[in-house]
């Protein structure tokens, strides 16, 4: 199936670029596109880097339909086959090299965004003035799995850079992104509730993080100033934790925040990167 293109009028420069690395996830990828197609607020461009073993994840009728829908609404979509594979770190570096907008959202290919997430993230990034904001992905299968012991590190956000050592108490904030902890925090903050309508994008709260997975919006200049993912040449192809290291470097220079409510939901599919070597965090300094 060919890339579903069409001739559309040129649009103003987007406020952010959505960058999606994908591999062998046609169903999950189409679901991720469906979430993007339901967003409103900041203008965005979509760039996809596919490294599937066979046909690309975007080569399905479902994905083609959603790409056409996005383009119909004026979203520029770039669908790329980026081979041979050199590891997820290099794939992220490639995506960042294609970006031009002031902000870049790294979105995993198995995350569905409820309406309003892009607007909330973009507003938070501009309001807080830090280097990145994250909507940590939530696992809805854990909605009834309340884990107050994993939320003891929760703190409201404070401005300024923060350097976090891996063995420090602050590092344990990563647990705030486990299971559905973000949803339970949002419930406690009165920002969301079971059975309620989709939260108002203008109503949100920021908290302190160590790092977050799945849906992270960077100030592009801050990410580039921290080196982006250029360290891909310094780690093995099977290295993981590349997102953690990049976030830590941005946080140490420009600060970072998590956002409640998240509105980013993990589709809870099996990983497409089962063979993982060392963590980039253990291999390279901040």
């Amino acid at each position: 199936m060919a890339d579903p293109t069409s001739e559309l009028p040129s649009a103003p420069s987007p406020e952010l670029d959505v960058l999606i690395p994908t591999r062998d996830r046609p169903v999950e990828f189409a679901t991720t596109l469906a979430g993007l197609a339901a967003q409103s607020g900041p203008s965005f461009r979509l760039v996809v880097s596919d490294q599937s073993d066979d046909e690309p994840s975007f080569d399905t009728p479902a994905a083609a339909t959603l790409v056409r829908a996005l383009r119909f609404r004026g979203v520029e979509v770039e669908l790329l086959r980026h081979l041979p594979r050199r590891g997820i770190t290099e794939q992220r570096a490639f995506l960042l090299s294609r970006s031009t907008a002031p902000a870049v959202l790294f979105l995993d290919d198995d995350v569905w965004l409820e309406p309003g997430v892009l607007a909330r993230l973009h507003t938070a990034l501009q309001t807080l003035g830090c280097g990145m904001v994250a909507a940590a992905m939530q696992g809805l299968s854990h909605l009834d799995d309340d884990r107050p012991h994993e939320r003891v590190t929760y703190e409201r956000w404070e401005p300024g850079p923060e350097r976090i050592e891996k063995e420090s108490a602050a590092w344990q904030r990563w647990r705030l992104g486990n299971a559905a902890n973000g949803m339970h925090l949002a419930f406690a903050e009165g920002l969301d509730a079971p059975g309620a309508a989709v939260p108002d994008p203008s109503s949100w709260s920021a908290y302190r993080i160590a790092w977050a997975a799945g849906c992270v919006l960077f100030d592009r200049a801050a990410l580039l100033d921290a080196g982006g993912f250029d360290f891909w040449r310094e780690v093995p192809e099977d290295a993981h934790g590349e997102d953690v290291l990049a976030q830590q470097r941005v946080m140490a220079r420009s600060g970072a925040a998590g956002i409640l409510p998240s509105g980013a939901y993990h589709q809870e599919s099996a990983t497409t990167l089962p063979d993982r070597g060392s963590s980039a965090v253990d291999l390279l300094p901040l």
Side-chain angles (χ1 to χ4, degrees):
M1 183 183 298
D3 175 2
T5 60
S6 61
E7 294 295 329
L8 294 171
S10 59
S13 298
E15 297 171 271
L16 63 91
D17 288 330
V18 178
L19 310 178
I20 303 180
T22 186
R23 175 187 174 187
D24 297 328
R25 276 182 168 160
V27 174
E28 294 88 342
F29 176 71
T31 304
T32 299
L33 289 185
L36 282 175
Q39 298 301 306
S40 60
S43 59
F44 67 93
R45 180 173 70 108
L46 172 62
V47 185
V48 178
S49 172
D50 186 282
Q51 295 189 328
S52 297
D53 292 327
D54 296 312
E55 296 302 315
S57 295
F58 53 72
D59 198 6
T60 67
T65 295
L66 288 158
V67 167
R68 292 188 184 105
L70 286 163
R71 286 176 170 155
F72 179 72
R73 296 301 176 193
V75 177
E76 179 184 348
V77 181
E78 189 174 13
L79 304 175
L80 304 168
R81 285 284 274 165
H82 182 55
L83 296 169
R85 290 194 294 268
R86 299 182 180 90
I88 184 60
T89 311
E90 190 276 340
Q91 192 179 19
R92 291 189 187 276
F94 170 73
L95 278 165
L96 184 57
S97 75
R98 306 292 299 188
S99 69
T100 57
V104 293
L105 177 71
F106 272 95
L107 181 64
D108 284 2
D109 64 352
D110 60 346
V111 176
W112 179 78
L113 302 182
E114 70 183 14
V117 173
L118 278 190
R120 188 157 56 239
L121 284 172
H122 192 249
T123 297
L125 187 67
Q126 292 183 313
T127 302
L128 301 178
C130 55
M132 54 166 270
V133 294
M137 59 187 184
Q138 305 296 295
L140 280 172
S141 68
H142 296 277
L143 189 57
D144 295 326
D145 178 14
D146 193 6
R147 302 182 181 186
H149 62 286
E150 291 192 339
R151 302 197 300 275
V152 294
T153 57
Y154 174 71
E155 298 177 70
R156 291 288 185 92
W157 181 78
E158 295 181 6
E162 185 177 16
R163 185 184 181 95
I164 300 178
E165 300 298 332
K166 190 173 181 180
E167 302 304 323
S168 68
W171 183 264
Q172 296 304 310
R173 295 178 196 154
W174 71 267
R175 299 181 185 276
L176 298 174
N178 270 357
N181 284 336
M183 299 185 74
H184 290 106
L185 285 170
F187 300 161
E189 293 288 311
L191 295 166
D192 202 358
V198 172
D200 181 350
S202 65
S203 178
W204 53 272
S205 175
Y207 66 99
R208 303 177 78 175
I209 60 173
W211 52 271
C215 180
V216 180
L217 180 65
F218 293 92
D219 177 291
R220 182 169 170 269
L223 179 56
L224 292 174
D225 182 62
F229 293 91
D230 288 347
F231 59 88
W232 70 268
R233 297 178 181 85
E234 304 172 57
V235 297
E237 289 187 7
D238 62 354
H240 67 282
E242 78 296 333
D243 52 344
V244 178
L245 180 59
Q247 291 176 38
Q248 288 275 301
R249 287 179 169 181
V250 169
M251 187 185 308
R253 292 161 176 81
S254 308
I259 301 301
L260 298 174
S262 165
Y265 300 102
H266 189 210
Q267 296 178 45
E268 303 187 57
S269 300
T271 180
T272 56
L273 299 170
D275 300 321
R276 302 190 178 203
S278 301
S279 169
V281 176
D282 296 327
L283 296 173
L284 298 174
L286 292 183

